[in-house]
Amino acid sequence: MNELPRLDFAHLPTPVEMLPNLSAALGGPELFVKRDDQTGLGLGGNKTRKLEYLLADARLAGADTVITAGADQSNHCRQTAAAAARTGFHCVLVLYPPAAFAGQAEHIRTHPSGNLLLDHLFGAEVIWTEPEERDRVLAQTFEHLQSAGQKPYLIPYGGSNKIGAAAYAYALRELRQQQVSPDWVVVASSSGGTQAGLVLGARSLGFQGKILGISVDESAGVLQERVAWLANETAAHLGEELVLQPGEILVRDKYSRSGYGVVTPAEREALALFARTEGLLLDPVYTARAAAGLVDLIRQDFFEPSQTVLFWHTGGTPALFAERYQE
Ligand SMILES: *Cc1c(COP(=O)(O)O)cnc(C)c1O
């Protein structure tokens, strides 16, 4: 794999830990966790890895401002704001309440909590919109910045393009260097860059384990297409001659049906189980959903008892402190 230009601000390698109490509580396979909730900058998470490469590209492009979009509790936006502060970019965030919370838009704006509170603390400029208007407002804001004489750089939704996804191909290499070879890697998947990078890294390095994405908000078919497309774009960018088909991308979408950001009893159970057996914090939107999927799969005997399973923790814990999740 070619090495892309990188700014160095993540705490890497992130630790791999065993989860013996959780394994015992579930009577399941041996469980590990890869602590990408501990990437260091601004409370960490998976987007920090991507941003090391995206902001390097922004700097090479001569940008002075980065702009991206997400939900009001977006971890991606919070990590972008922190990384921009650290590396000297002005940061503009286009935010919206997710569909399930549209009725609370005014309250959310005027009572920032969780990730949104941190966006403000990191000095990001926030522009509010609605989910359907996201791409239009993003493009419009980009043009406004340009005509105001700034040099904006657009970071895609979730940091998921061939540059951001490359960070997760390198992350799979990092896991290999830690001498860990799980039979399964289970990871929350949404904009697809994380899973695409892991799948690409696995294929290019001959890693035998399977990468299983737990969809947070999309149907399996849509996510498989997106991940395969992104993995192929990233492969070409890194000079790897390989092609992945959507059918080779492993996705479970059974747990995404309640909608983005909606906490159900399954997420609550997973949050409490991880906290009480291992002192490990999940986030209500992404990793609790993925962990609920993992727990469900273990209960269905999806994994062989002799197999090892690594839960790739993608972060998000500041959302635990969002006002809407307090009950
Ligand atoms: C963004 C995010 C994900 C999903 O990663 P993608 O690369 O968008 O698929 C998973 N977990 C957390 C905590 C996230 O913030």
Side-chain angles (χ1 to χ4, degrees):
M1 293 189 279
N2 297 340
E3 295 300 316
L4 299 183
R6 170 182 172 222
L7 300 182
D8 180 359
F9 47 73
H11 295 184
L12 303 179
T14 56
V16 174
E17 295 168 349
M18 295 185 73
L19 301 174
N21 304 330
L22 183 62
S23 298
L26 292 167
E30 196 172 17
L31 297 174
F32 294 85
V33 61
K34 174 77 168 153
R35 296 295 303 273
D36 273 15
D37 56 321
Q38 302 289 320
T39 50
L41 184 70
L43 297 180
N46 63 338
K47 306 311 182 306
T48 301
R49 283 189 193 266
K50 300 177 180 184
L51 286 160
E52 286 196 321
Y53 297 93
L54 290 162
L55 293 186
D57 193 53
R59 187 165 282 174
L60 287 171
D64 55 18
T65 302
V66 294
I67 170 167
T68 195
D72 62 283
Q73 283 301 325
S74 165
N75 301 300
H76 162 64
C77 289
R78 180 254 310 159
Q79 288 166 85
T80 302
R86 168 74 169 261
T87 53
F89 291 95
H90 180 58
C91 178
V92 179
L93 301 176
V94 173
L95 301 181
Y96 49 85
F101 304 97
Q104 301 166 33
E106 176 64 22
H107 183 84
I108 289 168
R109 277 199 287 274
T110 51
H111 297 75
S113 62
N115 281 304
L116 179 58
L117 180 73
L118 300 181
D119 295 341
H120 291 305
L121 197 53
F122 291 130
E125 180 184 336
V126 174
I127 292 171
W128 287 100
T129 185
E130 287 145 28
E132 311 74 50
E133 295 287 294
R134 175 184 86 193
D135 293 338
R136 191 184 62 76
V137 173
L138 197 58
Q140 191 184 55
T141 310
F142 189 89
E143 280 165 26
H144 284 169
L145 289 166
Q146 269 183 331
S147 43
Q150 296 183 42
K151 298 193 190 71
Y153 179 90
L154 183 68
I155 296 181
Y157 187 64
S160 285
N161 60 12
K162 62 190 178 188
I163 298 171
Y168 269 88
Y170 302 138
L172 199 282
R173 181 174 65 194
E174 176 184 298
L175 180 73
R176 301 277 287 171
Q177 286 163 353
Q178 291 173 306
Q179 315 285 334
V180 189
S181 284
D183 297 297
W184 289 88
V185 170
V186 175
V187 64
S189 194
S190 178
S191 69
T194 302
Q195 190 176 4
L198 292 175
V199 167
L200 165 60
R203 174 66 67 87
S204 111
L205 299 169
F207 174 74
Q208 295 298 316
K210 296 190 171 77
I211 315 287
L212 176 62
I214 306 290
S215 175
V216 171
D217 47 4
E218 291 288 8
S219 70
V222 169
L223 193 53
Q224 286 172 304
E225 290 275 347
R226 183 184 296 165
V227 169
W229 182 82
L230 260 172
N232 292 335
E233 288 274 298
T234 310
H237 194 52
L238 297 182
E240 291 289 301
E241 288 190 24
L242 56 87
V243 176
L244 286 144
Q245 302 297 333
E248 298 174 87
I249 308 298
L250 304 178
V251 170
R252 291 268 152 159
D253 65 1
K254 174 179 162 193
Y255 316 101
S256 62
R257 301 204 180 123
S258 55
Y260 178 88
V262 179
V263 176
T264 74
E267 283 92 26
R268 278 175 209 274
E269 188 207 2
L271 270 167
L273 188 62
F274 277 60
R276 290 170 195 181
T277 58
E278 299 287 357
L280 189 61
L281 295 175
L282 304 173
D283 82 287
V285 179
Y286 294 92
T287 50
R289 186 159 283 179
L294 173 64
V295 168
D296 186 48
L297 290 167
I298 291 172
R299 288 181 179 148
Q300 289 174 42
D301 295 325
F302 177 85
F303 308 106
E304 307 283 334
S306 63
Q307 288 184 325
T308 52
V309 180
L310 180 137
F311 181 72
W312 201 302
H313 194 324
T314 44
T317 32
L320 276 179
F321 305 101
E323 189 183 348
R324 75 172 63 119
Y325 298 122
Q326 305 224 324
E327 28 82 48

